Amino acid sequence: MSISVKLDRVLLDRGMSLTELSERVGVTIANLSILKTGKAKAIRFSTLEAICKELDCQPGDILFFDEEGA
Amino acid sequence: MRAIGKGSLASILAMGLHVTRIILLIALFGLGAAIILMPFVPFIIDIFRDSEDVRISGGADLSDFIEVTHGFVSIAVMLFVVNRLLEILKTLRFGSPFVRENAERFRSVGYALLIGEGAKFAFGFLSIIFDADVSINSSMITWIAIVAVFVLAEVFHEGARMKEEQDLTV
């Protein structure tokens, strides 16, 4: 897929674990793992909003468009 | 009525299909044995001819063979369809029915019904030549049912795709 997810990088910058983020945004670790590993086919605006709110970032900090993968 | 679980329509259907499956299996083995034994009928008659306790009239000719083989093929197709339907019901009872395998199962049911109808015409044609008693008539409702099964297969294929997407939506 041409959209890549850099959630692990943002988490590392904020010093937050996936478990902690899961508890804060109310999304299961399994679903966050799907997102982190790039297996997700879609992301809800509500999930993106909650992640951005907790990580104090913009959607563009998490999602990237990779032209080579398009 | 509940969709799944004890007393649901799915479990009643499964029970009915299991009983049908057993009946069809017995019929299939019986007809299979008849097909195998049919060439030996003259020898069997010869064996019992001298016996005073057994009276045998008639024999088995090609028209009988066509009728029995037609019955065997029809029951084999029915058994195949019943087995696929049982597998589909199993996925309904033990999880989600919207999986790609069920789309394939519905498609195979459609092809099996097509083969069954084709066999009916083939045996009907043979029955005209060899004067057997096989009906060649095919009803419109059967063909609509076959098309409906293929439509259902496509619906399940799309349903499975949507389910996969839903499962991978965070």
Side-chain angles (χ1 to χ4, degrees):
Chain A
M1 191 179 266
S2 55
I3 301 288
S4 56
V5 182
K6 307 284 181 193
L7 185 63
D8 48 353
R9 207 175 67 186
V10 182
L11 279 170
L12 197 71
D13 288 346
R14 304 292 186 276
M16 197 186 286
S17 69
L18 200 67
T19 314
E20 196 181 340
L21 181 67
S22 161
E23 285 165 2
R24 286 193 184 189
V25 298
V27 175
T28 62
I29 298 173
N31 273 348
L32 281 181
S33 291
I34 288 170
L35 183 66
K36 203 179 95 171
T37 52
K39 287 176 186 166
K41 286 199 171 182
I43 181 165
R44 291 188 189 92
F45 277 161
S46 57
T47 308
L48 194 59
E49 186 188 333
I51 290 171
C52 287
K53 196 176 173 183
E54 290 304 324
L55 294 176
D56 190 25
C57 65
Q58 291 298 313
D61 296 331
I62 300 166
L63 305 173
F64 288 87
F65 176 65
D66 182 12
E67 276 188 65
E68 284 179 15
Chain B
M1 189 174 258
R2 292 190 300 173
I4 51 171
K6 205 176 178 182
S8 66
L9 185 63
S11 65
I12 293 166
L13 277 171
M15 206 164 68
L17 285 171
H18 274 297
V19 173
T20 311
R21 187 169 171 259
I22 293 164
I23 294 166
L24 289 173
L25 268 172
I26 293 165
L28 193 75
F29 279 117
L31 288 171
I35 290 169
I36 294 165
L37 291 173
M38 215 165 248
F40 304 105
V41 167
F43 304 109
I44 296 166
I45 290 171
D46 278 343
I47 292 165
F48 291 104
R49 185 156 285 160
D50 298 332
S51 173
E52 288 177 5
D53 301 326
V54 182
R55 279 186 183 179
I56 299 170
S57 61
D61 55 18
L62 197 60
S63 64
D64 293 323
F65 185 77
I66 290 167
E67 285 166 26
V68 173
T69 312
H70 171 248
F72 182 83
V73 172
S74 300
I75 286 172
V77 168
M78 280 189 247
L79 191 63
F80 180 84
V81 171
V82 166
N83 280 336
R84 296 294 85 74
L85 291 177
L86 276 169
E87 284 169 5
I88 291 166
L89 279 175
K90 199 175 175 183
T91 61
L92 179 66
R93 286 190 297 159
F94 299 105
S96 170
F98 291 106
V99 288
R100 285 183 194 275
E101 288 80 10
N102 278 353
E104 289 303 317
R105 284 176 187 128
F106 270 115
R107 213 168 283 159
S108 63
V109 165
Y111 285 126
L113 292 173
L114 269 180
I115 289 167
E117 281 302 293
K120 192 193 271 183
F121 282 117
F123 283 106
F125 181 70
L126 285 173
S127 75
I128 293 167
I129 298 168
F130 298 104
D131 196 29
D133 187 23
V134 177
S135 171
I136 201 167
N137 62 347
S138 180
S139 66
M140 191 70 183
I141 196 84
T142 309
W143 290 101
I144 291 170
I146 292 169
V147 173
V149 168
F150 279 113
V151 169
L152 210 53
E154 290 310 304
V155 169
F156 265 76
H157 189 265
E158 184 61 14
R161 192 195 63 77
M162 286 169 75
K163 175 81 171 56
E164 275 174 22
E165 202 168 280
Q166 177 68 30
D167 289 344
L168 291 173
T169 297
V170 180

